Amino acid sequence: MKLISIIIISIILYGPEIFAQDNQDFREMKEEGMRLFSQGKYSSALKMFDGAEGFAYTSSEKSELAKVKSQLRDTVRIVYNTSINIAKSAENAINYRRALQSFKRLIPNDNLYVPSLFSWMGYCYERLSEPVAAIEYYEKGLIHEESYCAYRLAKLLPKYSSVSEDSIIVLLKIGAKAEKSAYDDLGDKYLRRNYNTAFDYYRKSGSKYGKYQMASLLLTKNISATENPIELLKELSNANYGDAQFYLGLLYFHGNSRLKKDQEMGLDLIKKSANNGCKDASDWLKKRNRELYY
């Protein structure tokens, strides 16, 4: 009983001082957080506010902190969205540098919700024709699991450093989560390794190029699939995809087991292909004209 009495007396005598000290810690950490917030050091400010939560005992103190943390996150969101708008509408180097300066206000981004921050910064540096800086920020983004950064690294690294094809494939697989065209690149990589795997990646891409490659593999490599290569080529041809018009035109012009010979139809498609910028179609027409008239 004597020990309990001593503890109670100690709490009565010293409790207010301990609480006052705790309260002082709360105020100091909150004020430091506000100072950092006003300087645009958002991540550091948030750390201070998080620390102050450990010393917030009253409902008013907790409400205070919740309010300033909400203001901080709103500010971060505004800075982030403003930076993106500047980058999207940029028409010259000055605009891209303005966007970069705005994005840099969000670094470090610990505990702040700023998705694709490094992707956007790398994008700006690419538009400024500064690939080394772009790679640096894409690599930072890769650490933060930004899939688009992996895709851009797969495109840039082979131009500026020695990197294995297997490493590029790994990057493309990560990058495909953000950029479907990565599936086309994967298809191209696997053309030299495994036709069936290449076909599957082209199917995943869903792009015109991917569908064209699917049709080509079905016609030349005996790939087993449900898709009809002629129907794929016709779909692409109707969408004015020049390479598909040329391929389909040749099939009509010469005829094969899948398509009845129709030289008039074939020639018309090849001409359309040439008009749509297909160099192979233009070269074919020139060669045919030489053969006809000389």
Side-chain angles (χ1 to χ4, degrees), residues 83-99 123-124 127:
S83 306
I84 290 174
N85 288 335
I86 295 170
K88 281 183 175 178
S89 61
E91 296 178 349
N92 53 46
I94 293 173
N95 297 146
Y96 284 118
R97 295 206 181 278
R98 274 186 59 219
Y123 166 85
C124 289
R127 295 304 178 278

Side-chain angles (χ1 to χ4, degrees), residues 27-44:
R27 286 195 303 273
E28 287 178 355
M29 294 189 83
K30 184 199 161 204
E31 287 169 8
E32 178 62 10
M34 292 302 294
R35 186 183 69 81
L36 292 165
F37 186 2
S38 68
Q39 293 176 349
K41 298 177 180 177
Y42 306 119
S43 184
S44 299

Side-chain angles (χ1 to χ4, degrees), residues 5-64:
S5 298
I6 292 171
I7 292 171
I8 292 171
I9 292 168
S10 297
I11 291 172
I12 293 170
L13 291 173
Y14 302 108
E17 291 183 16
I18 294 169
F19 182 76
Q21 180 61 46
D22 283 346
N23 235 12
Q24 184 179 345
D25 289 338
F26 168 79
R27 286 195 303 273
E28 287 178 355
M29 294 189 83
K30 184 199 161 204
E31 287 169 8
E32 178 62 10
M34 292 302 294
R35 186 183 69 81
L36 292 165
F37 186 2
S38 68
Q39 293 176 349
K41 298 177 180 177
Y42 306 119
S43 184
S44 299
L46 186 58
K47 284 179 183 176
M48 279 294 166
F49 294 146
D50 286 342
E53 280 184 334
F55 299 100
Y57 297 116
T58 67
S59 58
S60 63
E61 288 171 346
K62 291 175 181 178
S63 177
E64 256 182 272

